[in-house]
Amino acid sequence: MNRLLHTLPVIDHPAAAARFLHDADRATWHDASLWQVRRKRDRAAAMVEEWEELRALASAIKEHTLSHLDTYLEAFERHATANGIQVHWAADAAEHNRIVLDLLRRHGARRVVKSKSMLTEECGLNPFLEAHGIEVVDTDLGERIVQLANDAPSHIVMPAIHYRQEEIGALFHAKMGTEAGADEPAYLAAAARRDLRRRFLEADAAITGVNFAVAETGGFVVCTNEGNADLGAHLAPLHIACMGLEKVIPRLDDLGVFLRLLARSATGQPITVYTSHFHRPPPGRALHVVLVDNGRSAQLARPAYRASLKCIRCGACMNTCPVYRRSGGHSYGAPVPGPIGSILMPGADPVRYASLPFASTLCGSCSDVCPVQIDIHDQLYAWRQDVTRAGGVSRAKRWFMQMAGWLLAHPRRYRVAGAALRRLLRHLPRRLLYARPNTWGRARELPPVPPQTFRDWYRTHRPAPEHPADMP
Amino acid sequence: MNSRTKILEAVARHRPPPRPHPGLPSFPAPGNDLAARFREAAAGVNATCLTGSLDTLGDVVRARYPGARVIAALEPDLLPGTQVIDATTAPAELATIDLLVCRGTLGVAESGAVWVRAAPAGHRAALFLAEHLLLLLPADRLVWNLHQAYDRLDVAAEDFGVFVAGPSKTADIAQALVIGAHGPRSVTVYLIPDTKISF
């Protein structure tokens, strides 16, 4: 684990979520917006008869790939190189950023258009390039909004999902001179279109992400709805595509499985508007791919968590998650938020991201919608134990958990404590009952005290067992 | 040790025990009227699907795009009298194209997507800079799903190829759908029942 990371602040998800919930109207709207996307996903999935079979296939293909990952990475490199694509390897974020800057400098590129890549967010590429005098323009509209607002994406598919249209209207008025007070989405999108098309035509280099890299052919696929990755890549003399190691898949035929799942899971579309297959650069142009590890091989070494590397970044787990929808993407303090972020980030730093595995109800909805069948909620549960062992959980919580463990391990203690608690709950004044240590009671009423425990009921309705000690 | 070696060694050391590739079953079409299914799916992705012959293509273009001043084709034989785009066409000029006419190689009925190859001598950016797109597709070039599409296509032989499913769009502002994000504002697929031109 990188010790340097500990200069970074520890993420306090509950505190950040509380701040998000402070604006109740926005939180309600955010929740409803995402739930609508989740429902679109349901409708799209229901239209495919073999949906569950596709999920199982996608999962199996990814597991097969991970079990031969070195072979497939080498095959991809070999075939890509034969296609005239130059392949680079980066062990971590810093090396990735250096490689990209180096390529830009070698080509004398100063103006870069960038389409969406969560990997470059993870590596902090934009601030790094800007610090070295390169102008980077995000061209996905959501990312552009976030960039103009000097903010970070809050969702991997819908980066500006946390903004309301009047805020975007005010932002565009300030930054792009649109009419004051105008906030119709069509009008604002048209303004961004004019501005970005000019930038596409003037760019010296394009940076894109990669959705799938095909080992068998040495080509890669980029999916967008706006066409921004293509406008960048086909107009600039230099195209750099950045990808995590886990993006490689064995064969072209495998694409059929993933592409039928990806857009349906993400937004409820049958397929993205553009599914672009890059195999060779046009004559006289340069095409580079940067393969990035940045903790992925370490995650591969963790049997309980390696399945997180199957992720195809569709965002379905975020849209369905009751915690994500009501706490906002920024509360996770991570480039990839939500359930999948909560199992990826502790791998990078179990102390800094210790609160993320607890940002879940463990309801399992994330695992149900995941197109590659990642056992997200099981991993969240496992990470809770591991971040606690790593010392990422407060002493109070650890002590409380130990107490609870001690209590729940002994039937007699449990019964005595239960009886005492029921009496307390009936007679304690509210002021004491809902005092500071009761975090559960801050936003909820405690459940009413039952007149009778199940155990008592059972004893009166069933013959006594032969060995009372066996009783629960 | 360089990063390549370091990464490959770490991956080889940590990879899970071998798991087989599951193989791909074939998922047959649920019915045989692919053209009807394709039209439905195209409408679903905000594209229009017309059926007609190459002879009437000129009339269709005049009727559908009355305001189009710059009409271009990626290949000269598609629509006589149009401007031909090649690799040397200046990007600024591509950005003024009102209508681009080009060949589709294959249509996918399940999703309304059409495979478009970058013409060897053409300019890849034209497809994305044109205001409107007209894709010509022989009606016998329809398959049901992407599995069949990848079976039929020789994707790796193309330097660049793309599935286009409708006009460019975004919902990044308050989840409201806006058609015509940075690329084409409309896509029309022109299905040609019997074709004499080779695609």
Side-chain angles (χ1 to χ4, degrees):
Chain A
M1 199 174 65
N2 187 344
R3 296 221 159 275
L4 280 177
L5 284 170
H6 287 294
T7 54
L8 295 167
V10 167
I11 303 297
D12 185 348
H13 179 272
R19 282 194 297 277
F20 177 81
L21 287 165
H22 217 72
D23 184 346
D25 280 353
R26 181 190 300 269
T28 304
W29 167 80
H30 184 266
D31 178 16
S33 296
L34 286 155
W35 186 248
Q36 202 185 2
V37 184
R38 153 72 211 258
R39 290 179 58 191
K40 285 182 192 162
R41 171 260 170 217
D42 290 354
R43 282 196 292 273
M47 284 175 75
V48 180
E49 213 172 303
E50 56 268 20
W51 182 258
E52 290 303 320
E53 198 177 342
L54 286 175
R55 290 180 68 218
L57 283 170
S59 169
I61 295 167
K62 282 284 185 180
E63 280 168 12
H64 162 75
T65 312
L66 290 174
S67 72
H68 300 82
L69 189 56
D70 50 329
T71 319
Y72 281 129
L73 286 169
E74 286 185 277
F76 172 76
E77 177 190 41
R78 198 167 50 249
H79 296 127
T81 307
N83 288 343
I85 298 173
Q86 295 179 60
V87 179
H88 310 260
W89 301 73
D92 55 25
E95 189 174 11
H96 161 267
N97 294 349
R98 266 202 316 278
I99 290 169
V100 173
L101 178 65
D102 225 35
L103 288 171
L104 294 173
R105 282 189 172 157
R106 225 182 309 153
H107 285 261
R110 304 198 57 88
R111 285 170 304 187
V112 177
V113 284
K114 181 168 149 289
S115 77
K116 200 164 62 188
S117 147
M118 291 340 282
L119 176 75
T120 59
E121 292 285 337
E122 177 189 325
C123 294
L125 180 68
N126 284 21
F128 175 84
L129 291 181
E130 281 156 7
H132 288 86
I134 307 274
E135 178 198 77
V136 188
V137 174
D138 278 316
T139 59
D140 171 271
L141 181 56
E143 287 220 304
R144 184 63 180 152
I145 290 163
V146 166
Q147 182 178 42
L148 288 172
N150 222 337
D151 192 7
S154 71
H155 189 290
I156 60 173
V157 174
M158 300 167 280
I161 186 80
H162 56 294
Y163 281 99
R164 314 196 58 162
Q165 66 190 65
E166 55 270 29
E167 293 169 314
I168 299 168
L171 177 73
F172 279 20
H173 172 63
K175 304 277 181 178
M176 284 198 287
T178 54
E179 301 274 325
D183 67 356
E184 300 83 4
Y187 168 78
L188 297 175
R193 172 190 171 102
R194 272 193 306 278
D195 179 68
L196 286 170
R197 277 172 71 101
R198 181 177 57 79
R199 294 175 190 274
F200 283 126
L201 291 168
E202 291 170 355
D204 308 314
I207 297 174
T208 69
V210 169
N211 289 90
F212 306 98
V214 184
E216 165 192 54
T217 65
F220 62 91
V221 174
V222 183
C223 305
T224 70
N225 283 324
E226 297 173 18
N228 55 313
D230 290 280
L231 282 163
H234 304 320
L235 287 167
L238 167 68
H239 173 190
I240 306 170
C242 305
M243 60 177 269
L245 302 181
E246 80 284 12
K247 293 285 186 201
V248 74
I249 59 169
R251 310 180 316 211
L252 270 174
D253 286 351
D254 298 324
L255 283 170
V257 175
F258 293 109
L259 292 171
R260 288 179 78 201
L261 291 163
L262 177 63
R264 285 187 172 90
S265 297
T267 59
Q269 299 166 248
I271 189 169
T272 48
V273 175
Y274 300 108
T275 308
S276 303
H277 299 56
F278 295 84
H279 272 89
R280 286 165 212 87
R285 309 268 192 99
L287 178 52
H288 295 259
V289 171
V290 189
L291 295 169
V292 184
D293 183 339
N294 203 35
R296 284 159 179 77
S297 60
Q299 189 82 330
L300 194 64
R302 304 178 180 113
Y305 304 120
R306 60 168 57 124
S308 60
L309 295 170
K310 296 193 293 183
C311 175
I312 56 172
R313 301 290 192 273
C314 73
C317 59
M318 294 165 207
N319 305 338
T320 198
C321 178
V323 177
Y324 174 90
R325 281 187 279 115
R326 293 173 184 80
S327 57
H330 288 159
S331 61
Y332 295 80
V336 179
I340 182 68
S342 301
I343 60 175
L344 288 171
M345 301 316 295
D349 185 340
V351 173
R352 182 171 190 221
Y353 296 106
S355 68
L356 266 51
F358 295 93
S360 164
T361 61
L362 299 184
C363 68
S365 186
C366 47
S367 309
D368 288 342
V369 298
C370 177
V372 290
Q373 296 185 327
I374 302 171
D375 53 339
I376 306 176
H377 70 293
D378 292 331
Q379 293 193 33
L380 285 165
Y381 178 64
W383 268 122
R384 289 180 180 193
Q385 288 135 71
D386 282 351
V387 300
T388 304
R389 274 186 215 109
V393 169
S394 73
R395 216 169 315 171
K397 190 166 191 165
R398 271 211 306 278
W399 177 83
F400 182 82
M401 287 292 169
Q402 274 161 348
M403 278 297 296
W406 177 80
L407 206 64
L408 294 170
H410 303 81
R412 264 207 52 178
R413 281 180 211 157
Y414 172 76
R415 282 201 295 277
V416 170
L421 195 61
R422 278 192 294 281
R423 261 199 304 283
L424 275 178
L425 285 176
R426 279 199 196 96
H427 303 299
L428 269 186
R430 275 193 76 88
R431 226 161 25 86
L432 274 177
L433 209 49
Y434 287 89
R436 271 192 70 83
N438 181 3
T439 49
W440 174 267
R442 269 178 217 168
R444 307 175 189 83
E445 280 294 299
L446 292 169
V449 181
Q452 183 187 34
T453 64
F454 174 76
R455 186 169 178 274
D456 291 339
W457 177 92
Y458 187 81
R459 290 170 78 116
T460 52
H461 288 78
R462 292 275 183 284
E466 283 168 48
H467 304 286
D470 295 345
M471 285 277 305
Chain B
M1 189 163 41
N2 69 13
S3 288
R4 179 183 183 276
T5 315
K6 204 163 67 181
I7 291 168
L8 286 171
E9 274 189 9
V11 168
R13 202 169 49 242
H14 298 322
R15 69 181 183 205
R19 298 285 299 271
H21 189 291
L24 296 182
S26 70
F27 296 104
N32 51 11
D33 193 354
L34 284 182
R37 297 299 294 256
F38 180 83
R39 263 193 294 278
E40 215 176 298
V45 295
N46 316 99
T48 309
C49 184
L50 304 173
T51 306
S53 74
L54 272 182
D55 306 335
T56 56
L57 182 60
D59 302 337
V60 170
V61 167
R62 274 186 292 279
R64 271 189 77 75
Y65 308 96
R69 285 193 322 280
V70 183
I71 299 178
L74 281 180
E75 292 151 86
D77 60 334
L78 287 182
L79 189 63
T82 54
Q83 197 169 319
V84 176
I85 299 301
D86 65 27
T88 63
T89 311
E93 209 174 312
L94 299 176
T96 65
I97 298 173
D98 294 307
L99 173 67
L100 181 75
V101 184
C102 62
R103 280 193 170 95
T105 313
L106 195 77
V108 185
E110 190 189 38
S111 54
V114 177
W115 177 256
V116 182
R117 296 181 309 178
H123 201 303
R124 295 178 191 182
L127 263 180
F128 304 90
L129 279 168
E131 287 285 300
H132 301 277
L133 202 54
L134 180 63
L135 300 173
L136 310 185
L137 187 67
D140 62 356
R141 286 306 191 88
L142 291 175
V143 295
W144 165 238
N145 61 26
L146 281 170
H147 311 295
Q148 295 153 6
Y150 283 109
D151 264 350
R152 286 269 294 268
L153 295 167
D154 188 2
V155 172
E158 323 275 359
D159 293 356
F160 172 78
V162 56
F163 282 114
V164 177
S168 82
K169 62 188 181 193
T170 179
D172 273 329
I173 299 174
Q175 285 297 292
L177 178 66
V178 177
I179 306 280
H182 314 315
R185 299 173 191 274
S186 83
V187 169
T188 302
V189 182
Y190 192 72
L191 275 186
I192 304 163
D194 65 313
T195 178
K196 290 187 230 27
I197 52 171
S198 60
F199 273 70

